[in-house]
Amino acid sequence: MIDTHCHLDYLEDPASARGELGLSAMVCIGASPQHARNAVALAEQFPDVYATVGLHPTDTGEDSPEARRELEELAGHSRVVGLGESGLDDYWDDTKRAAQVSAFEWQLELARRVGKPLVIHTRDKAGQDSAHRGVMDVLGRWPDVPVILHCFSGHPDLLRFGLERGEHTFFGFAGNTTYKNAHEIHAAARTLPLERMLLETDAPFLAPVPKRGKPNRPGYVRHTLEFIAALREMPADTLERMTDANARRVYGLGAEGRIED
């Protein structure tokens, strides 16, 4: 299996995640200048680890010309397969929307320029959806950039928007898909065209059932796989094969996980 989104450098021993529960590859998300450096270093060290580089919407305080120059340089690294995670986050009270949008649009422009997908983070307070609607507004101005809607919330309008946006929009399902009250995520996971689905952990966050409440690990992506396969009443190995093919396609990986030229 391929874990399409994890924060491998947050783990005490990143190497221990390699190969667990049949894991064949991991994409380590570098969502700040320091974490981007960490992600690239891990991708250089291990052949089954790939990196993204970018600036998380809650870390826009680190945005600067110097940070952008460094991230732009890292974006061209041969082990970097995507940008981000970027996007909009209205969960916290000190949200700085203008700064988030500026960083988001800059990363969309960089993704277009280097020909790599952008991983998108979208988070709202319970019962609100301003970040989701803001993401749709921004992406409407960048219709040709491949994106991954990471840790997809199941938001019905964002689901429709992403499907209408075209085949270069993918939806990442994380461990919270397995939570019993995640009804909108369940509905999306049940009906989404399989060629648009990715599986991820967001490790060490959002551990799936039966590991909920513990630190998440990349290998636990298998629990999310098995849950969605049961939802869709299909064999888990078929879903694994299809979602891994999607991961290879969006991130430009070869059949055995190697980066395609």
Side-chain angles (χ1 to χ4, degrees):
M1 283 201 71
I2 300 173
D3 180 5
T4 63
H5 187 116
C6 65
H7 299 273
L8 190 61
D9 60 320
Y10 285 45
L11 273 61
E12 187 172 325
D13 179 13
S16 67
R18 300 179 67 206
E20 63 182 2
L21 298 177
L23 197 66
S24 62
M26 298 166 275
V27 178
C28 180
I29 306 298
S32 72
Q34 181 59 60
H35 287 298
R37 291 190 289 271
N38 295 346
V40 170
L42 287 167
E44 290 176 331
Q45 184 177 2
F46 301 118
D48 50 351
V49 176
Y50 305 93
T52 74
V53 299
L55 192 62
H56 194 280
T58 62
D59 288 327
T60 53
E62 297 187 47
D63 195 1
S64 68
E66 295 75 22
R68 292 190 181 195
R69 279 195 294 272
E70 179 180 13
L71 292 171
E72 184 168 345
E73 182 176 345
L74 289 172
H77 192 286
S78 63
R79 300 291 297 174
V80 170
V81 296
L83 281 294
E85 63 190 90
S86 184
L88 299 177
D89 191 310
D90 284 347
Y91 181 79
W92 304 102
D93 290 335
D94 60 349
T95 292
K96 297 178 176 61
R97 174 56 67 88
Q100 290 188 14
V101 169
S102 173
F104 188 9
E105 298 224 44
W106 172 72
Q107 287 167 92
L108 281 161
E109 189 277 330
L110 180 58
R112 173 192 279 168
R113 188 154 25 103
V114 300
K116 297 176 182 181
L118 179 66
V119 178
I120 295 179
H121 167 105
T122 312
R123 191 182 187 193
D124 278 297
K125 294 179 184 292
Q128 300 181 18
D129 69 350
S130 55
H132 286 76
R133 298 200 175 279
V135 162
M136 288 186 277
D137 182 59
V138 172
L139 288 182
R141 300 193 287 273
W142 299 84
D144 59 333
V145 177
V147 299
I148 298 164
L149 297 169
H150 142 68
C151 194
F152 184 58
S153 67
H155 188 280
D157 289 347
L158 185 55
L159 176 62
R160 285 190 291 271
F161 174 87
L163 290 173
E164 292 170 0
R165 190 172 180 270
E167 63 183 2
H168 52 283
T169 303
F170 292 81
F171 299 78
F173 288 83
N176 57 341
T177 304
T178 68
Y179 301 169
K180 65 180 182 180
N181 292 325
H183 303 302
E184 287 191 338
I185 304 178
H186 297 167
R190 190 180 289 114
T191 61
L192 181 75
L194 286 176
E195 65 271 16
R196 309 286 283 279
M197 179 180 288
L198 299 172
L199 299 180
E200 61 175 71
T201 60
D202 204 21
F205 313 107
L206 295 176
V209 174
K211 302 294 185 178
R212 188 174 184 182
K214 301 177 181 179
N216 201 0
R217 295 184 60 81
Y220 294 171
V221 69
R222 184 161 299 279
H223 297 299
T224 302
L225 166 80
E226 292 170 350
F227 182 89
I228 294 176
L231 270 183
R232 297 184 71 115
E233 299 181 335
M234 65 183 296
D237 59 349
T238 301
L239 181 61
E240 177 180 347
R241 185 168 59 253
M242 296 183 74
T243 54
D244 280 359
N246 296 341
R248 288 192 292 269
R249 186 166 78 254
V250 68
Y251 280 128
L253 308 180
E256 296 180 1
R258 296 187 296 268
I259 295 176
E260 293 182 330
D261 295 329

